[in-house]
Amino acid sequence: DDPIRIRRRKKVIRNLFRFLGRHDLCDRHLTMSNARDPRNVRRLPALEMPDFPTKLQKALDLLNPEDRLIVELKLVTQMRTGNAKEERGVFGIRKNAGKSYLMMDSADTFRFHVLEKMHEEWDITFLPPHVREKLWTLYQTKQDGEYIFKKDTNFNKRWNAATIKAVGTPLNLHDSRKIS
């Protein structure tokens, strides 16, 4: 019943199964979560399409510039959408203040700290140039202490509509972190 001992044993067994080439057993029976019963790994068939990258680009093109930046930022950082009240994830980022903050002197000079769930704290040190430039443009329009992105209840609806139109199926935004 000791979860620490069980976790250590699972780590050893997982490595043994990986060595033997049985990744399917690791995924199906030896998940490293705190749950008593392991969960199945969810497959995303849309991601297995050979033309998925072009379809994803079409979906991004259908979004307004701020929504597109949110999705691009999530993809390059694997950040969660988050919660503004708890200052977590994308929607919890404030300009120059708070638990999750973004400080920028220019598009090339920034300090980016994000609080995630389970009290994880991330310091983001790399962003692709096109994302940094868009973020710098948005950053300049915000006041100190203001949220960089406004929490919008219709954001997921717009994302789902864009992915249905471009990909043919709605993609869960949280799952899209897996494609980064």
Side-chain angles (χ1 to χ4, degrees):
D1 291 337
D2 184 4
I4 294 171
R5 288 179 62 204
I6 291 171
R7 186 170 181 86
R8 284 190 203 130
R9 289 178 182 163
K10 280 185 179 181
K11 283 182 181 180
V12 171
I13 293 170
R14 282 177 68 91
N15 289 330
L16 175 64
F17 280 132
R18 280 196 185 115
F19 176 76
L20 296 173
R22 293 299 308 268
H23 299 277
D24 59 323
L25 291 174
C26 289
D27 291 341
R28 193 177 324 125
H29 300 293
L30 297 171
T31 58
M32 299 298 287
S33 71
N34 293 331
R36 193 194 82 191
D37 299 315
R39 63 187 186 279
N40 289 329
V41 175
R42 201 167 121 202
R43 296 189 57 83
L44 303 172
L47 304 184
E48 297 171 3
M49 296 184 286
D51 58 346
F52 180 75
T54 56
K55 289 183 174 183
L56 178 63
Q57 188 61 47
K58 287 178 186 173
L60 288 172
D61 291 340
L62 294 170
L63 296 173
N64 66 49
E66 189 170 325
D67 288 351
R68 181 183 173 132
L69 180 57
I70 290 170
V71 175
E72 288 176 345
L73 191 63
K74 282 179 62 65
L75 293 180
V76 299
T77 62
Q78 296 187 351
M79 194 183 311
R80 293 170 181 88
T81 307
N83 185 335
K85 289 180 183 173
E86 297 172 14
E87 296 185 31
R88 292 191 333 214
V90 173
F91 289 119
I93 303 167
R94 291 179 182 261
K95 179 179 178 179
N96 299 336
K99 298 174 187 172
S100 294
Y101 59 85
L102 175 64
M103 297 178 183
M104 296 183 88
D105 290 329
S106 68
D108 297 323
T109 309
F110 65 92
R111 184 165 181 188
F112 201 170
H113 182 83
V114 178
L115 180 68
E116 280 288 351
K117 73 177 193 179
M118 306 287 283
H119 301 289
E120 292 178 4
E121 294 190 39
W122 300 355
D123 286 310
I124 297 168
T125 57
F126 172 78
L127 291 171
H130 72 282
V131 174
R132 275 195 322 254
E133 290 164 8
K134 291 176 187 176
L135 203 52
W136 171 242
T137 304
L138 182 63
Y139 180 86
Q140 291 174 311
T141 65
K142 303 294 180 178
Q143 300 295 322
D144 283 352
E146 188 178 354
Y147 289 109
I148 300 293
F149 301 105
K150 292 184 176 137
K151 179 68 173 171
D152 183 359
T153 55
N154 294 324
F155 172 73
N156 283 331
K157 290 178 185 175
R158 290 191 300 272
W159 169 248
N160 284 340
T163 56
I164 287 170
K165 194 176 221 179
V167 181
T169 183
L171 293 178
N172 183 329
L173 192 57
H174 182 75
D175 290 344
S176 67
R177 294 171 57 238
K178 298 175 178 73
I179 66 175
S180 60

